[in-house]
């Protein structure tokens, strides 16, 4: 018998690529199956180093994230080990499990997906190669335009006129008439909220928010020692009558709200509701922090609150949900230039400035139309995944919107949000229970389920099938342990 080939070292990965002719399964599953098959056939041997993920992605003409997911799936099956700084290697010992596809009777509820549906991030559009190339060209152009002083020195402390001009261009449809001197560029929405709360309130003060609200706002308020008073909601968002009562009773320093695709419920205020909310805060002279991070996603929506109470509204337009979470850029439109400077002072004391590199990329993408192209692609993919959800989940249980990529799921009798999320975790899915968003003791039995985390629609479908199966299982049965 001839001697076995010497396993490759960390410095020399093997020349290997899977066949992807069978497109009936997700690509990352097909790659993991090919690893298992080639190990079984002896084409991959213990100790072999697989090609680096980016090289294999280029060789196959697919996204890097798909190969990363494939290698992760292979690790989950016990086929390979990953060594930091060295690469991915075929395991030297251990049982090689069969490919997922070799188990024809496996049900959706038994699939070990290990997918987080908790982080509300934008979905990756299908056929994204052209869009990725366009984004990368913009990044290259933005960085190439920076000189050495831009890269080795701090800015002078003020946002550049070009960056504020980009904000005006981006917001021209949401806030027509916005001028650059009213704009602050922040390193993401969370940083903007921290700066705004720092400027508007002091420790011990009260701020109002919807009864269910973004946990990041709650965290920022807690960090600053502020008390959050929740205001009841209905299907159209915050209740104006309840808001008036809360403003009169608690005299808050600010109202925080998300009028479009509310997080977590997706409630979207119609124009009449926005006018009523604006009238309530105007009567009490309370500033509004309007989180419009989802505002660019719907094809049609009512004007923002800033259009109805411009003298009181701080409009926060983050790019994380509609362009890219990697940029960490948000534009704050203040009521006037003086208030913009006031918030800028608070930002310098907390997060200093937005990263000039990120701001330059955002500026380039907005100017050349890439940002709108990405937004349109995210919108289209969100609509496709929302359609999947509506086809697989009981209509009476879900609340969502046409272009939203998260949904609000009300639970069957007997379940609490915490119990059901634990139930899902046992099936490889994570979500966020209503308790994480609550600002009042009255917490509904519900959870937020995000459709943007899976890499593709196939994985989204599998996650939704697991969720659908979980919904029909009674709490007593699900809690049985042996």
């Amino acid at each position: 018998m001839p001697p076995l080939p010497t396993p490759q070292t960390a410095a020399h990965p093997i020349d290997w690529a899977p066949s992807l002719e069978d497109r009936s399964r997700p690509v990352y599953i097909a790659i993991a199956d090919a690893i298992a098959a080639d190990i079984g056939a002896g084409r991959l041997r213990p100790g072999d180093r697989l090609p680096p993920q980016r090289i294999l992605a280029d060789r196959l003409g697919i996204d890097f994230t798909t190969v990363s997911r494939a290698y992760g799936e292979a690790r989950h099956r016990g086929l390979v080990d990953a060594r930091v700084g060295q690469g991915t290697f075929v395991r030297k010992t251990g049982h090689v499990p069969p490919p997922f596809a070799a188990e024809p009777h496996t049900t959706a509820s038994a699939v070990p997906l290990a997918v987080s549906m908790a982080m509300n991030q934008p979905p990756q559009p299908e056929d994204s190669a052209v869009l990725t190339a366009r984004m990368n060209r913009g990044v290259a152009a933005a960085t190439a335009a920076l000189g050495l002083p831009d890269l080795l020195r701090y800015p002078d402390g003020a946002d550049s006129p070009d960056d504020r001009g980009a904000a005006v261009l981006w917001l021209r449809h949401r806030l027509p008439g916005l001028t650059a001197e009213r704009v602050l560029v922040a390193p993401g929405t969370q940083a903007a909220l921290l700066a705004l709360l720092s400027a508007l309130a002091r420790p011990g003060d009260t701020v109002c928010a919807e009864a269910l609200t973004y946990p990041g706002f709650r965290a920022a308020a807690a960090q600053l020692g502020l008390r959050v008073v929740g205001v009841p909601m209905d299907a159209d968002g915050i209740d104006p009558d309840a808001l008036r009562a809360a403003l009169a009773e608690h005299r808050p320093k600010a109202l925080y709200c998300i009028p479009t695709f509310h997080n977590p419920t997706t409630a979207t205020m119609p124009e009449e509701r926005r006018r009523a909310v604006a009238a309530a805060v105007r009567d009490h002279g309370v500033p509004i922090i309007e989180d419009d991070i989802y505002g660019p996603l719907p094809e049609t929506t009512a004007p923002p609150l800033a259009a109805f109470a411009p003298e009181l509204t701080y409009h926060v337009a983050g790019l994380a949900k509609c362009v890219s979470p990697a940029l960490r850029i948000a534009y704050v439109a203040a009521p006037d230039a003086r208030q913009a400077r006031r918030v800028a002072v608070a930002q310098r004391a907390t997060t200093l400035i937005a990263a000039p590199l990120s701001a330059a990329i955002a500026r380039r993408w907005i100017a050349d139309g890439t940002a709108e192209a990405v937004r349109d692609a995210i919108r289209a993919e969100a609509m496709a995944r929302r359609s999947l959800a509506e086809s697989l989940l009981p209509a009476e249980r879900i609340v969502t919107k046409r272009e939203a990529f998260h949904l609000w799921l009300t639970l069957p009798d007997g379940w609490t949000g915490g119990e059901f999320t634990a139930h899902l975790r046992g099936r490889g899915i994570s979500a966020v229970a209503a308790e994480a968003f609550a600002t009042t003791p009255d917490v509904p039995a519900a959870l937020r389920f995000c459709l943007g985390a899976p890499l593709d629609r196939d994985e989204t479908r599998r996650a939704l099938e697991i969720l659908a199966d979980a919904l029909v299982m009674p709490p007593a049965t699900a809690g049985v342990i042996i």
Side-chain angles (χ1 to χ4, degrees), residues 164-220:
R164 286 185 275 116
V168 171
L169 181 60
W170 179 247
L171 292 170
R172 66 191 185 280
H173 301 303
R174 301 290 288 151
L175 296 176
L178 176 66
T179 55
E181 62 268 19
R182 291 172 49 200
V183 172
L184 171 73
V185 182
T189 295
Q190 189 67 26
L193 296 181
L194 185 63
L196 285 165
L197 289 173
S198 298
L200 297 173
R202 293 291 178 266
D205 284 344
T206 295
V207 291
C208 284
E210 292 109 334
L212 297 165
T213 194
Y214 168 51
F217 170 77
R218 294 177 57 200

Side-chain angles (χ1 to χ4, degrees), residues 12 15 31 57 67 82 88 95 103 108 112 119 156 206 252 279 281 292 359 390 404 409 463:
H12 298 91
D15 184 16
I31 295 173
V67 177
T88 302
H95 169 66
E103 301 181 47
M119 182 67 73
D156 63 8
T206 295
V281 297
D292 200 43
E390 290 182 339
L409 183 79

Side-chain angles (χ1 to χ4, degrees), residues 14 29 42 68 71 80 101 121 129 154 165 177 203 209 228 263 296 305 334 348 357 360 370 386 402 436 457 463:
I14 62 172
I29 292 290
S68 177
Y71 280 15
V80 299
Q121 55 194 350
Y154 287 107
V228 178
N263 182 11
L305 289 171
R348 288 185 63 80
L357 280 173
T370 298
R386 187 262 312 157
R402 181 171 177 264
R457 294 178 199 173

Side-chain angles (χ1 to χ4, degrees), residues 273-285:
R273 175 64 57 90
R274 296 178 192 228
R275 290 184 183 277
V277 169
V281 297
R282 184 180 287 115
D283 288 347
H284 290 270

Side-chain angles (χ1 to χ4, degrees), residues 255-338:
L255 165 67
Y256 169 79
C257 60
I258 309 172
T260 301
F261 293 177
H262 173 260
N263 182 11
T265 68
T266 76
T268 298
M269 294 185 193
E271 182 169 336
E272 182 180 359
R273 175 64 57 90
R274 296 178 192 228
R275 290 184 183 277
V277 169
V281 297
R282 184 180 287 115
D283 288 347
H284 290 270
V286 175
I288 304 173
I289 301 174
E290 179 181 27
D291 189 344
D292 200 43
I293 196 165
Y294 302 100
L297 288 173
E299 292 180 334
T300 58
T301 189
L305 289 171
F308 303 112
E311 77 282 10
L312 290 172
T313 304
Y314 296 83
H315 181 91
V316 184
L319 300 183
K321 308 302 186 185
C322 56
V323 180
S324 170
L327 284 180
R328 309 306 307 143
I329 291 292
Y331 301 126
V332 179
D336 54 45
R338 178 173 170 270

